[in-house]
Amino acid sequence: MASDGARKQFWKRSNSKVPGSIQHVYGAQHPPFDPLLHGTLLKAAPKVPTTPVKAKRGSTFQEFESNTSDAWDAGEDDDELLAMAAESLNSEVVMETAHRVLRDHSQRREQHQLQEPPGPGREQHQLQEPLSPGPEPTPATEPSPVASGDLRLVKSVSESHTPGPAECASGPAPLHRSQSLPHAASAALGGPPDPGTLSSSALSEREAFRLDKFKQLLAGPNTDLEELRRLSWSGVPKPVRPITWKLLSGYLPANAERRAATLQRKREEYFAFVEHYYDSRNDEGHQDTYRQIHIDIPRMSPEALTLQPAVTEIFERILFIWAIRHPASGYVQGINDLVTPFFVVFVCEHVEEEDVDIADVSRVPADVLRNVEADTYWCTSRLLDGIQDNYTFAQPGIQLKVRMLEELVSRIDEQVHRHLEQHEVRYLQFAFRWMNNLLMREVPLRCTMRLWDTYQSEPEGFSRFHLYVCAAFLVRWRKEILEERDFQELLLLLQNLPTAHWGDEEISLLLAEAYRLKFAFADAPNHYKK
């Protein structure tokens, strides 16, 4: 009797009203509120005085059930499904009914599309559909196959797409729960995407977005150099690289109105140097310098560019004028390599070839080449001013950086450091060229230009940050280094590292690792000292 009384009390409504109470719906996700289990909550609720109302007769469970509609808004076709779900069904009956419902939905959709007047949205959708060859595109779905062991029917959340009769007739297809996507988006998502096309399109969109940001920044009357450095750290788009490098190197002023006058003045100044000094290249005091420059230029890369007579003459003038005007260091082998990136970047504006390495410079007008030559000289001078101790007598700057590299590698990867020591490989034997040529002989020219985007964005990038790039570059070949067990093989590996296939992705990873090392060690130099 106690259990009967509890059951009767459970299914009767309480006459007292509770503020904030919710009318529970039969068939919802959660069961009805049980006052026996949650009586303490009802007692704790504050009572609000209300006007007395006439007490209602308590309703039974049968009345409650008959007066309550199902939580799903069942349509005409869903009634059939719900009715059949109450019987003992097999998978064939379920699939037949499901196919009939889908066919009905498809016919209604086709009729609706025929009656729909043409408009801009409609035309856009019709243009998008042929992009995906093959069957009609479908939006991204969550498959819910009706297996023989689990006969659950899934109601569609959205009727944005339903298979046509041809799809249904092809065989028993699983029911899907469609996502609520716009019609145009559903068409665009249709068909299996090509990974290569998707990645290239996403890459081109990202490059276009970055190019727009650079153009907006450079179009202002006064360029924010700090913001330009921040954007350039991750790479400078090719169309704006010449003007960006001129600004970052300090060759051009940030004020746009002063740039034209500055270019004219600096170009005239450079050719005044040429007129004054270049004829002395055959004098007894300067002929050794000029002869060494003349020997080194054909050894430069890319040969297809540097061996062109016009380019050879330009490089000879630039290097000779710089050596005469900087007697503390004069010309040193390695300086010649540092001219190439500036020249290639500045001349790429005036050649049609995509690959500037093989461009025919003789087609560029003479006055344009004169401007490129002057701009290259001044930007190279700005670069060398920051690392001139690398090229003074005994090259103390390079020797100091090589020792710092050795100490840094011994802290970040002691196993590689001990392996080199065990086989008597000295850092000066392979890292001297890394510092002297700023890794230009170790990576392709396209990678050098990407490196210099970041170097010019970093404070003291060509001197201090380059040290961490070299450390990251050495540790990058950790596996290959540890596999070599001979001095000669180790040295051959470190002087001929396989980087011919490298591109922006490898350089970006290298720079990210270098930045991590700089963040850990730059402000605490004692951390990389034993």
Side-chain angles (χ1 to χ4, degrees):
M1 291 298 292
S3 61
D4 293 342
R7 189 180 299 111
K8 183 176 180 182
Q9 182 181 1
F10 175 79
W11 291 115
K12 282 190 175 183
R13 290 181 176 175
S14 175
N15 292 335
S16 60
K17 290 191 175 183
V18 180
S21 64
I22 302 174
Q23 181 180 0
H24 298 283
V25 179
Y26 173 71
Q29 182 180 0
H30 302 287
F33 192 86
D34 190 350
L36 295 179
L37 298 177
H38 305 83
T40 56
L41 295 177
L42 294 176
K43 293 178 181 179
K47 293 185 179 181
V48 180
T50 59
T51 56
V53 296
K54 183 178 179 180
K56 296 183 179 179
R57 181 179 62 86
S59 61
T60 63
F61 169 67
Q62 288 76 12
E63 294 175 349
F64 177 80
E65 181 183 20
S66 62
N67 294 330
T68 305
S69 59
D70 192 86
W72 299 107
D73 186 15
E76 178 181 351
D77 299 318
D78 298 324
D79 292 337
E80 299 181 17
L81 294 177
L82 294 174
M84 296 188 67
E87 304 175 3
S88 177
L89 301 178
N90 54 34
S91 60
E92 296 180 359
V93 176
V94 172
M95 293 306 301
E96 181 181 357
T97 305
H99 289 167
R100 186 167 67 253
V101 173
L102 294 176
R103 283 196 297 271
D104 293 342
H105 285 190
S106 179
Q107 292 173 1
R108 293 178 191 165
R109 179 182 176 84
E110 292 176 357
Q111 293 175 0
H112 177 69
Q113 290 178 352
L114 291 175
Q115 297 174 359
E116 182 181 358
R122 180 66 177 172
E123 292 175 1
Q124 182 181 2
H125 175 58
Q126 291 175 350
L127 291 174
Q128 289 178 345
E129 286 181 347
L131 295 177
S132 300
E136 181 182 355
T138 58
T141 56
E142 298 174 8
S144 301
V146 182
S148 57
D150 187 7
L151 302 178
R152 293 178 295 180
L153 298 177
V154 180
K155 181 174 177 66
S156 174
V157 175
S158 171
E159 295 179 1
S160 60
H161 170 75
T162 50
E167 292 174 281
C168 299
S170 62
L175 296 177
H176 297 280
R177 174 176 178 147
S178 304
Q179 301 289 338
S180 296
L181 293 175
H183 192 66
S186 300
L189 292 173
D194 184 4
T197 305
L198 187 62
S199 60
S200 62
S201 62
L203 182 63
S204 61
E205 289 179 3
R206 184 167 67 249
E207 290 176 348
F209 177 73
R210 296 192 73 249
L211 179 59
D212 288 342
K213 293 186 70 174
F214 271 91
K215 288 182 176 180
Q216 292 175 8
L217 182 60
L218 296 171
N222 290 284
T223 303
D224 186 349
L225 295 181
E226 288 301 320
E227 179 65 15
L228 186 62
R229 290 188 183 96
R230 189 187 66 82
L231 287 177
S232 302
W233 205 101
S234 300
V236 181
K238 184 178 178 180
V240 295
R241 184 173 275 157
I243 181 65
T244 301
W245 278 23
K246 292 173 185 177
L247 286 167
L248 293 179
S249 64
Y251 174 46
L252 283 185
N255 185 272
E257 295 180 354
R258 296 173 50 206
R259 291 173 191 168
T262 300
L263 284 175
Q264 183 179 357
R265 176 173 55 83
K266 300 298 286 186
R267 289 166 180 172
E268 291 175 354
E269 186 177 351
Y270 166 73
F271 284 105
F273 293 155
V274 172
E275 185 178 356
H276 187 267
Y277 295 111
Y278 193 60
D279 290 339
S280 64
R281 62 187 182 278
N282 295 320
D283 294 350
E284 184 177 356
H286 300 149
Q287 61 182 359
D288 291 340
T289 299
Y290 179 75
R291 182 170 58 250
Q292 187 62 53
I293 293 172
H294 190 73
I295 293 173
D296 289 343
I297 289 178
R299 302 172 180 173
M300 297 167 59
S301 61
E303 292 182 356
L305 179 67
T306 57
L307 292 182
Q308 297 182 38
V311 178
T312 301
E313 293 177 5
I314 290 174
F315 279 32
E316 285 179 353
R317 284 194 293 267
I318 290 174
L319 293 171
F320 183 78
I321 298 301
W322 189 89
I324 294 299
R325 288 185 50 78
H326 295 81
S329 62
Y331 172 76
V332 178
Q333 286 180 312
I335 295 179
N336 54 314
D337 284 330
L338 307 183
V339 179
T340 307
F342 287 114
F343 179 81
V344 169
V345 167
F346 296 156
V347 83
C348 73
E349 292 182 293
H350 312 287
V351 296
E352 297 178 356
E353 291 84 355
E354 184 67 23
D355 189 0
V356 186
D357 300 0
I358 58 175
D360 186 2
V361 179
S362 62
R363 298 179 181 177
V364 181
D367 57 337
V368 173
L369 272 182
R370 284 173 58 87
N371 294 337
V372 169
E373 178 181 346
D375 297 343
T376 302
Y377 169 80
W378 288 114
C379 289
T380 305
S381 297
R382 293 277 184 170
L383 163 61
L384 291 171
D385 287 346
I387 56 173
Q388 191 169 356
D389 60 341
N390 286 4
Y391 306 106
T392 54
F393 178 74
Q395 297 180 275
I398 291 180
Q399 298 199 39
L400 175 62
K401 290 182 178 67
V402 170
R403 288 197 301 269
M404 294 174 66
L405 175 65
E406 183 176 359
E407 294 174 352
L408 181 59
V409 173
S410 68
R411 301 294 292 176
I412 63 178
D413 198 328
E414 187 175 1
Q415 187 176 3
V416 169
H417 176 71
R418 291 190 177 278
H419 186 75
L420 295 175
E421 278 190 338
Q422 180 182 354
H423 294 88
E424 299 181 349
V425 176
R426 301 291 176 256
Y427 282 77
L428 204 62
Q429 294 170 329
F430 62 89
F432 181 89
R433 190 172 73 181
W434 296 7
M435 303 298 177
N436 191 47
N437 302 88
L438 299 179
L439 289 176
M440 284 193 60
R441 297 293 180 98
E442 321 308 320
V443 297
L445 180 59
R446 61 182 180 274
C447 297
T448 298
M449 291 188 289
R450 171 64 189 89
L451 267 177
W452 285 24
D453 288 341
T454 301
Y455 282 179
Q456 296 187 85
S457 306
E458 280 279 333
E460 298 182 329
F462 291 98
S463 56
R464 299 297 297 267
F465 188 68
H466 179 68
L467 168 67
Y468 301 100
V469 172
C470 290
F473 187 66
L474 178 61
V475 176
R476 162 68 177 76
W477 307 100
R478 183 180 195 276
K479 178 182 177 182
E480 291 80 357
I481 291 173
L482 295 178
E483 287 176 353
E484 300 295 343
R485 301 290 178 179
D486 178 71
F487 168 81
Q488 184 176 359
E489 296 298 327
L490 268 172
L491 205 55
L492 284 175
L493 170 67
L494 292 171
Q495 292 180 348
N496 300 277
L497 292 167
T499 60
H501 67 284
W502 273 30
D504 285 357
E505 183 177 354
E506 288 78 9
I507 294 298
S508 297
L509 292 174
L510 180 68
L511 290 169
E513 177 63 17
Y515 184 81
R516 187 186 69 84
L517 295 176
K518 176 194 172 187
F519 185 81
F521 294 101
D523 295 329
N526 289 332
H527 287 183
Y528 60 74
K529 292 182 180 179
K530 291 184 178 179

